[in-house]
Amino acid sequence: MSDNAKEILKIEHLFKDYDNTPVLEDIDLTVNKGEVVVIVGPSGCGKSTFLRCLNGLESIREGRITLDGEPVDPNNRSIYKIRERIGMVFQSYDLFPHKTILQNITLSPVKVQKRDKKETEKEALELLERIGLSSHKDKYPRQLSGGQKQRVAIVRALIMHPEVLLLDEITASLDPEMVREVLDVVLSLAREGRTMVIVTHEMGFARAVADRMIFMDGGHIVEEGSPDEFFDRPKSERLRSFLKTFDYEG
Amino acid sequence: MEFDAIREYLPLYAEAFKLTVTIGWIGIALSLVIGIAGAFIMYFRIPVLCQITKAYVELFRNTPLLVQLFFIYFGLPKLGLSISSGTCGAIGLGLLGGSYMAESIRSGLFAVSESQKTGAASLGFRRGGMFFYVILPQAVSISVPSVIANVIFLLKETSVFSAISLMDLMFTAKDLIGLYYKTTECLTLLVAFYILMLLPVSILGSIVEKKVRFGMYGS
Amino acid sequence: MRLTEFFGFDVLLKGSNMLRLLEGLMVALKISLISVAISLILGTVLGIIVTFKKPAINAIFRVYLEIVRIMPQMVLLFIVYFGAARAMGLNLTPELSSVIVFSFWGIAEMADLVRGAVTSIPRIQYESSQALGLRTYQTFLYVILPQTVRRIIPMSINLITRMIKTTSLVMMIGIVEVLKVGQQIIEANRKSSPNAAFGIFATVFLLYFIACYPISRLSVYLEKRWSI
């Protein structure tokens, strides 16, 4: 747990709906620098939508999201600058199929942040080395396994030097034997003190990586707490029955 | 088969071949320009132009080239718009092809997945950068097979040019058959020259298709 | 000069000119519908035969496809109409020649559509049918065909519009269809309606559009509706 309690991401009274159907209702959440917040909840509870809101990929009906005091608002021109400071990784990897692995990683720092190409490539190679994929740098995404692609997608987000990293069910479409290699990368990022907001269904991983757990259901935050409280002493009935679905002996 | 006749006709066919191929490729180049412009207009839904483009695409995709050529070559001069048969052939082919190309490229643009756009947006791409670095290259790869099919289709369509008295391959063949009745020789040459015109494109097309197929694989 | 005369539409109202044009269109439509019917039936049969993967048949089929892919229908028309008479002493009417050529083309297209649709059915569908004890013909009849029909119908409807458009070529071997009738009307009214060429060809343009547009919309609609 980080001792540094500086607020970085602040969500106040967030409301969001799709075609007049409410998806998120009155969400309040503050994420501190260096903190790892893990959100769990049943499918359709709004957790992915919530994460997309944090990157300005969804317009919101009411409320405020701020990154270090600056508004995260998809209708504001500043959203592009904000997105450079918030990295996001998706369930479907979404690497660019027409670019090699190295090009996938360097495209946005070079084109968006106008950083030096040589230096960016050097940094990209270091990051690839770290996740054990440097020998794949000239391959195309289609030549990699799902787990490898997802690790590249994480590096692609990291190289933008984001202040916050959002991970949206990044292991949900992976074969079981590949889940581990991706989660290990995330765990090492957490140990470095990266600020992350993670949506996942991997309860064991959640418990290992989280500083704070959040349970969402029906567009609300139902319960939040430290991982130990959350998993061992759930307060609400809804969380108890949700956790039970992961427990085959129960 | 009389080889003397073939030797005698060969230069005439070669001349006609040059004319057919030249007008054909000018028409195809024109169709690509029209097609790209049309596809962008439809993709970005530019008001007014978008409706006009859609009407143009439907009109030209649903009528035969022969009829389009007759209208341009014989009809329009009555309103004072006269053009030579060569220009008419190229413009007609360009307009017909433009409607097919626009549709191919447009569907390529729309086939790029929503999640690719979201992925690019989350990396901080602006609209312009996203279009040029992420959407366009993938759209091109998706469109290539149907663009190549269009090119082959358009080269075949050049065979109706003789109807507006262009001295193309068909015209030459029909003319010589009418004059000397050496039907077998004339038809053999006709087929040979059309193979010469289309087989390389067909083979090259399959190679190019395989090279740029990244758009269909996983991301 | 009145506006209709300037644009050459006046000639349509003279005598039975409009009716003659429509009759010309019917000639073209008739040839295309006969060719479509032949193509659909024989093309489906050929397409299914090809999926049995007999090497000799498939090699011939590939050559056949490539011929159709690169030879303009116009060239094929010339070969059949002029060539058959010369080479085999057959005197084919232009109508029969065009039906032969368009069917030759349509059968290849249709067979390729059917082949593509059948082979796109996942392997496991065949395997599970066999596991249930179905014979080969039963697998085709009860499992594969019903699944392919939805993929084939929109594309074969599209083939109809292409067939209709292609029949405009038959005037080049002397069939009096809508374009030819148009030319005759223009000739006959050269003095009284000097601008007839504009009105007539604009009308022919529109007639083809009216014939093809609804069919191609239907094809797009079915493709969207039946896409999996």
Side-chain angles (χ1 to χ4, degrees), chain B residues 8 20 45 53 65 80 100 106 114 116 132 149 178 188 191 213 217 219:
Chain B
E8 192 189 330
T20 312
R45 300 202 169 83
T53 309
L65 177 61
Y100 280 82
R106 185 199 65 88
E114 213 42 54
Q116 279 286 321
F132 280 105
T188 307
V191 169
R213 219 183 260 171
Y217 291 110
S219 48

Side-chain angles (χ1 to χ4, degrees), chain C residues 12 51 62 69 78 85 92-93 107 135 141-142 146 165 181 192 216 219:
Chain C
L12 289 169
T51 59
R62 291 193 58 153
R69 188 168 130 99
F78 266 44
L92 299 180
T93 63
I107 290 169
R135 302 286 177 269
L141 205 58
Y142 303 124
K165 284 183 283 177
V181 172
S192 57
S216 70
S219 162

Side-chain angles (χ1 to χ4, degrees), chain B:
Chain B
M1 186 104 74
E2 291 176 32
F3 286 97
D4 285 345
I6 288 194
R7 207 168 303 130
E8 192 189 330
Y9 298 158
L10 201 58
L12 296 172
Y13 273 91
E15 202 52 43
F17 177 75
K18 243 166 57 188
L19 184 79
T20 312
V21 169
T22 309
I23 297 176
W25 281 103
I26 293 174
I28 288 168
L30 189 63
S31 79
L32 278 170
V33 174
I34 297 173
I36 292 168
F40 280 21
I41 288 170
M42 289 191 281
Y43 184 73
F44 291 112
R45 300 202 169 83
I46 299 170
V48 188
L49 281 181
C50 182
Q51 280 77 14
I52 294 173
T53 309
K54 277 186 179 156
Y56 150 73
V57 168
E58 291 299 346
L59 197 60
F60 277 78
R61 277 175 69 91
N62 285 295
T63 46
L65 177 61
L66 195 56
V67 174
Q68 295 163 9
L69 289 178
F70 269 50
F71 178 70
I72 299 170
Y73 191 67
F74 299 112
L76 287 184
K78 302 296 172 196
L79 303 188
L81 239 113
S82 283
I83 49 176
S84 74
S85 55
T87 316
C88 175
I91 290 177
L93 199 64
L95 284 173
L96 171 78
S99 68
Y100 280 82
M101 295 293 187
E103 192 54 32
S104 298
I105 299 166
R106 185 199 65 88
S107 41
L109 287 169
F110 278 108
V112 176
S113 69
E114 213 42 54
S115 70
Q116 279 286 321
K117 293 174 211 167
T118 318
S122 78
L123 289 167
F125 275 103
R126 276 59 167 173
R127 287 180 53 161
M130 192 195 294
F131 186 73
F132 280 105
Y133 298 119
V134 179
I135 298 173
L136 198 56
Q138 294 184 53
V140 167
S141 139
I142 299 167
S143 311
V144 158
S146 80
V147 167
I148 289 173
N150 290 345
V151 167
I152 292 172
F153 161 70
L154 292 173
L155 282 176
K156 284 161 74 178
E157 288 285 298
T158 59
S159 60
V160 307
F161 283 168
S162 62
I164 50 166
S165 36
L166 253 169
M167 307 248 277
D168 72 337
L169 286 168
M170 295 304 302
F171 190 97
T172 307
K174 197 174 184 179
D175 209 30
L176 290 172
I177 291 173
L179 283 174
Y180 307 111
Y181 296 105
K182 295 207 190 317
T183 315
T184 318
E185 291 78 6
C186 287
L187 290 178
T188 307
L189 280 168
L190 180 67
V191 169
F193 273 99
Y194 264 105
I195 290 177
L196 184 65
M197 182 155 131
L198 278 143
L199 196 59
V201 180
S202 173
I203 293 169
L204 207 69
S206 327
I207 298 172
V208 173
E209 249 171 64
K210 284 192 187 108
K211 283 239 149 120
V212 297
R213 219 183 260 171
F214 49 72
M216 286 166 223
Y217 291 110
S219 48

Side-chain angles (χ1 to χ4, degrees), chain A residues 106 110 115-125:
Chain A
T106 56
V110 171
R115 274 151 63 182
D116 180 71
K117 195 163 177 231
K118 277 264 162 337
E119 274 170 40
T120 314
E121 274 176 8
K122 195 166 152 268
E123 187 181 344
L125 286 172

Side-chain angles (χ1 to χ4, degrees), chain A residues 167-225:
Chain A
L167 307 180
D168 186 9
E169 305 204 32
I170 58 168
T171 58
S173 52
L174 295 180
D175 290 334
E177 71 272 19
M178 289 170 185
V179 169
R180 186 72 200 216
E181 65 189 46
V182 173
L183 295 184
D184 281 347
V185 173
V186 179
L187 209 57
S188 79
L189 292 175
R191 296 215 175 96
E192 281 173 13
R194 290 221 172 242
T195 315
M196 292 191 274
V197 182
I198 300 173
V199 167
T200 185
H201 279 119
E202 302 283 338
M203 291 303 148
F205 163 71
R207 187 165 189 165
V209 79
D211 293 318
R212 184 153 44 119
M213 291 296 305
I214 295 201
F215 174 59
M216 275 181 82
D217 193 10
H220 298 273
I221 291 182
V222 177
E223 189 167 337
E224 65 175 286

Side-chain angles (χ1 to χ4, degrees), chain A residues 234 237-250:
Chain A
E237 182 51 40
R238 271 148 90 185
L239 176 56
R240 263 197 295 276
S241 64
F242 174 73
L243 289 174
K244 235 178 208 163
T245 59
F246 291 88
D247 185 2
Y248 289 103
E249 287 144 284

